[in-house]
Amino acid sequence: MPKNRRPTLTTGHSSSVTPEFEREGRVSGHVLKAVRRSVGHTQETLAERIGVDVTTLQGWESGRRPLMAVSTGQYLRLRHLLRRLGAGPHLLTQLDTALEADRFIGYVLAADHQIDLDGHPLATWVITRPFTDLVAWPFIGVAPTAIAEATPPGRRGPSASGPELAADERQHISAHLRAAAEQAPRDTVKGALLRRQAHYVTGFDTSAETAEWLAAIQGEEKRRLRSTAEWSPSWAVVRSGAHSIARKGDSEALPEFIDAHVSSEECETANLNYWAYWLGEVADPQLADTFMVELSVDTWRGDHLLTHLVGKLDPTNPYVDIVVHSLWALVIRKPGFLDDRNAASMTPTVLRLLDERSVSPRSRRELEAVLYALRMAQRR
């Protein structure tokens, strides 16, 4: 390298070693654009600070030049610069997670329907809410809340407002995930994890064909569940399936799941532990769904979960029944973390939902019990 030339993020990079499925960059590109806008830079000014041609930055943001294809050291230099420019830590974490989302999308688009059951991304870890929100973005067109709230509205222009999938790409991803769910072993922990997560991610496809498949597969999973009162990896599959078809408009799916499959302390623990992991209260990555019953609920606080559940007490929320039940179970299992301040702030929301008279009888009884606990906390 000439002595008078400073190193840049593309210096010395060779794309010839990049696997095909790692040439995907649509999600991380849009997150990078959101981070850039959050620190008040144009493409031209940020490219100058980074030391790359503006067309390189434009390629990263559009996904034409996948950010995943730069070296680790080069990516870290970009990340550190964005931090110095004032990018929020949570947005930078979203950028890291967006690379995982792109790798997943690229893997599925490059794969056929003969599933690698050991190496499939959905069989190797319990996916998180940030990852899932980013994967869902190109399907449903809704930016994750952290990105939507942290960046100012941009100028109108010809560029897309978010990552997009072509019709044939959607069909391929949906078909691949259905094949993964159908081919996954039914008698192993890893197989159940793959089935559960493939069901759930497939649910972001809005086609009628996918909705019919989800309903049919959920019926099969419920029939295979050996016991309604005991936790098993198949229990976790049925739980996620109930959420998926509730999102599709089946108002009975979650009440039926709660009545039939959350009737023991073990299953209540599993439900709460999964919520805690989903919302980041369980910080360590989990490799199998067995963490749901292996963790004690005393290992996490519950404050963030409490705030989230109260914020979702909305009769139009398709998950309102599981939200109410989980709030009730949380208050029962962790009564000590209710104080007069948070009890006072929660009470109006609970009363509003009770006044709506639109929840199931069971949810109404549980809300009344929560309201009693809130009033007792305010009297301490």
Side-chain angles (χ1 to χ4, degrees):
M1 183 188 303
K3 291 183 179 179
N4 62 349
R5 180 182 171 193
R6 67 175 180 171
T8 71
L9 285 176
T10 54
T11 300
H13 174 66
S14 171
S15 62
S16 63
V17 298
T18 306
E20 184 65 34
F21 65 83
E22 292 186 354
R23 294 179 183 149
E24 174 62 51
R26 72 191 82 193
V27 178
S28 56
H30 277 279
V31 176
L32 176 61
K33 178 165 66 175
V35 177
R36 171 180 59 76
R37 289 168 52 194
S38 77
V39 298
H41 272 273
T42 65
Q43 289 180 330
E44 291 76 12
T45 60
L46 184 59
E48 183 178 359
R49 291 295 300 269
I50 296 170
V52 300
D53 189 86
V54 68
T55 58
T56 297
L57 180 58
Q58 290 169 346
W60 288 341
E61 291 191 358
S62 68
R64 293 191 306 272
R65 294 185 176 184
L67 191 58
M68 196 188 313
V70 306
S71 72
T72 302
Q74 292 161 344
Y75 173 69
L76 289 175
R77 284 199 293 275
L78 169 63
R79 201 179 187 282
H80 292 164
L81 173 62
L82 292 170
R83 181 185 299 156
R84 292 198 303 274
L85 293 174
H90 192 54
L91 267 184
L92 292 176
T93 300
Q94 288 278 312
L95 184 58
D96 296 339
T97 307
L99 293 173
E100 293 186 41
D102 274 332
R103 191 176 190 277
F104 168 75
I105 292 171
Y107 176 95
V108 175
L109 287 175
D112 57 24
H113 304 326
Q114 186 62 42
I115 307 303
D116 176 4
L117 299 174
D118 289 326
H120 196 284
L122 296 184
T124 56
W125 70 305
V126 182
I127 59 178
T128 62
R129 185 188 186 196
F131 171 86
T132 307
D133 285 348
L134 287 164
V135 168
W137 191 3
F139 276 99
I140 63 178
V142 178
T145 302
I147 294 171
E149 292 180 348
T151 56
R155 294 175 297 178
R156 294 184 181 273
S159 62
S161 59
E164 298 177 341
L165 290 167
D168 61 331
E169 291 177 320
R170 286 171 175 265
Q171 293 169 1
H172 179 91
I173 291 173
S174 181
H176 172 90
L177 293 176
R178 291 199 302 268
E182 291 166 359
Q183 293 177 33
R186 303 195 175 276
D187 56 352
T188 67
V189 170
K190 178 178 264 192
L193 177 65
L194 177 54
R195 290 204 322 279
R196 179 178 73 77
Q197 298 192 141
H199 290 172
Y200 191 79
V201 177
T202 305
F204 292 116
D205 178 28
T206 57
S207 70
E209 179 185 9
T210 292
E212 292 174 5
W213 178 83
L214 285 169
I217 206 74
Q218 178 71 349
E220 293 177 14
E221 293 290 353
K222 287 195 294 186
R223 287 191 292 273
R224 289 193 183 101
L225 201 56
R226 294 178 181 176
S227 170
T228 60
E230 297 177 0
W231 186 89
S232 69
S234 293
W235 179 95
V237 178
V238 172
R239 182 190 184 279
S240 283
H243 281 72
S244 293
I245 61 177
R247 188 168 65 239
K248 297 293 185 185
D250 187 336
S251 61
E252 298 301 319
L254 283 168
E256 287 177 359
F257 171 75
I258 296 165
D259 288 341
H261 304 297
V262 196
S263 58
S264 68
E265 182 175 351
E266 185 180 47
C267 294
E268 293 284 11
T269 295
N271 181 56
L272 288 176
N273 276 337
Y274 186 78
W275 272 112
Y277 179 75
W278 185 246
L279 295 171
E281 295 226 33
V282 177
D284 293 335
Q286 301 297 320
L287 305 183
D289 282 336
T290 49
F291 85 93
M292 296 183 193
V293 288
E294 292 171 347
L295 285 181
S296 166
V297 295
D298 295 328
T299 59
W300 45 270
R301 283 185 54 83
D303 304 75
H304 186 44
L305 175 54
L306 180 70
T307 300
H308 176 84
L309 293 173
V310 173
K312 296 297 183 180
L313 291 177
D314 181 343
T316 64
N317 180 0
Y319 308 134
V320 67
D321 290 289
I322 194 68
V323 166
V324 169
H325 180 78
S326 301
L327 177 61
W328 168 82
L330 181 64
V331 169
I332 296 296
R333 295 292 293 273
K334 288 179 172 285
F337 80 140
L338 283 180
D339 56 34
D340 58 348
R341 183 174 53 84
N342 59 26
S345 66
M346 289 169 55
T347 298
T349 305
V350 173
L351 284 170
R352 278 196 298 272
L353 189 56
L354 279 169
D355 288 344
E356 289 279 350
R357 298 186 178 278
S358 57
V359 295
S360 68
R362 176 173 189 148
S363 290
R364 186 169 185 82
R365 292 194 300 272
E366 290 171 342
L367 278 173
E368 289 169 347
V370 168
L371 183 61
Y372 176 79
L374 295 176
R375 287 173 172 164
M376 292 298 294
Q378 292 176 74
R379 293 174 184 170
R380 290 176 191 161

